[in-house]
Structure formats: structure tokens, C-alpha cells
Amino acid sequence: MPDATDRAAEAYAKAYQSAIDDVISRYPALARLSSGQAAELLRSIDFEDLIRTNYGMDKALEGLAISFAREVIVSPPPPVTPSGATLEAMLNFEVDAANTQITQTAAEIKKIIMRSIVGRQSEAEFAAALKSETLRPDQINSYVNQNLRSFHRTVELQMAEANPDQLYIWAGPLDDRTSPECVDMIAQGALSQSEWQASYGAYLSSGTHYGCRHTLQMYVQTEQLSTAERAREELGEV
């Protein structure tokens, strides 16, 4: 079942798809112009502003920022947490990466339009070129989702390292998408940071695979162990 991170990444990918579809629909009008007229018109169009405002990428980016911020909210908070300045810097790096992607996409679209007009390509040929030379929506979704979850794991790992006396679980869904490695880690229940590091250190920051939906989480109540019990049942340990 999609969680908040999945929904934020999906909204961003949909906004991106909207931008691509709209650009394709406007190509025939541009293609009727001469190369000189098209070049002059394209120079006057701020594609980045169009993508951000008209196609909703800025709104989607705001949604990403909110989702990033939610990942650092821990209730109840551990005794020691990364400083606000550290978290803000980490958050800004992630949002800046998405911002840079919008800027690069806008420049790439303008370049492909001009090249297609000069080459007198049809709308279908232009659409094929645009889709082959820019990221697909599913790639955008995957990229954003991975960044969101990597950010979450990094923050949680920092908190665990700053609070070695607390216990932690490997938190996340247990379903048909859960990798065998994550099932094994979920089944461990509540361990100290040093115990996690000793047995699963390679996974604590990067996850067990690309797109991993799991992270360390401070153990604060017995209800958190219900998933561990189910994982042990799956492994035949109960």
C-alpha cells in the first residue's frame, strides 16, 4: 500500500508527465514556423518558469519538501537529535537536487524542440525524441522515492549513532515486495545500534537494495514488534 513517500514521489512524477505531454501537444504549432521564427520564439519562452508554474512542478516540489521534513519528525524524540542546522542542510541538499533536475529538463526540452524543428520532424518523431532523451516519469518517480528514503535512513542512522543506549527496529512494510534481507532484519526485533552495526552495517544507510522502503526506527512501544513477530513466522522461527 502506498505510503506518504510513495504519494509524494508519484505527485512529482505526474507533474513531470503533465509537462512533457503539454510540450508535445504544442509542437505542431511551433513546427509550422520557419527555423528563424521558431528560434526567436523559443528564445523568448522561459520553459523553466512554465514547467515550475503552469505544469505544477513547483507545487509538487513543495510536496517533496514537506515529505522530506516529515521524515525527521520522531515521536517521542530520542535524548539526542541532530541539530536543526544539520537537518536543514540535509533537507536543502535533497530539494536542491530536485530543483536542478527541473532546470536541466527545461533546457533539454528547448534544445530538442529546436533540433526537431530544424530537422522538420513530425509530432510523433518529436515525441519519440523527447521521451528518449529525457527521463521517463517512472524514472523520476523511482529517483525521487529513492532520495526520500535515503534521506530518512541517513537521519535515523545519525539519531541511532547519537543515542547508542536506545534500542532500534528495522521499520517498514512486510508484504510481497519486502526483500528477504529486510524480512530477516525485521525479524531481529529491537537491537542496540552497535548490534545493528555489527550484523547489518552495510544496509543501515543505503538500504538492502535500490528503492528499499525500510529504515532504523527507535523502539518505544511493544506494538512496534508486531511486524517482527510476523517476519519470524515467515522465516519459520516461531
Side-chain angles (χ1 to χ4, degrees), residues 160-182:
E161 290 173 346
N163 298 274
D165 295 332
Q166 302 295 314
L167 295 178
Y168 301 88
I169 64 169
W170 190 242
L174 181 62
D175 53 28
D176 58 359
R177 292 172 52 196
T178 306
S179 69
E181 293 84 1
C182 280

Side-chain angles (χ1 to χ4, degrees), residues 79-157:
V80 181
T81 62
S83 70
T86 298
L87 292 176
E88 183 179 2
M90 292 170 63
L91 174 60
N92 286 339
F93 283 139
E94 299 292 352
V95 175
D96 284 349
N99 255 319
T100 299
Q101 191 177 68
I102 293 176
T103 301
Q104 292 174 338
T105 298
E108 191 69 19
I109 287 173
K110 185 176 284 193
K111 181 186 75 176
I112 295 170
I113 289 175
M114 191 65 231
R115 190 178 64 205
S116 297
I117 290 173
V118 170
R120 292 298 169 189
Q121 292 182 333
S122 66
E123 181 179 352
E125 290 171 328
F126 166 68
L130 188 63
K131 292 177 179 178
S132 69
E133 297 182 42
T134 57
L135 291 175
R136 300 190 312 270
D138 63 302
Q139 292 173 316
I140 292 286
N141 189 329
S142 175
Y143 167 80
V144 169
N145 206 310
Q146 171 70 6
N147 280 9
L148 280 166
R149 297 188 190 282
S150 293
F151 174 73
H152 190 182
R153 278 191 294 271
T154 299
V155 172
E156 293 289 359
L157 181 57

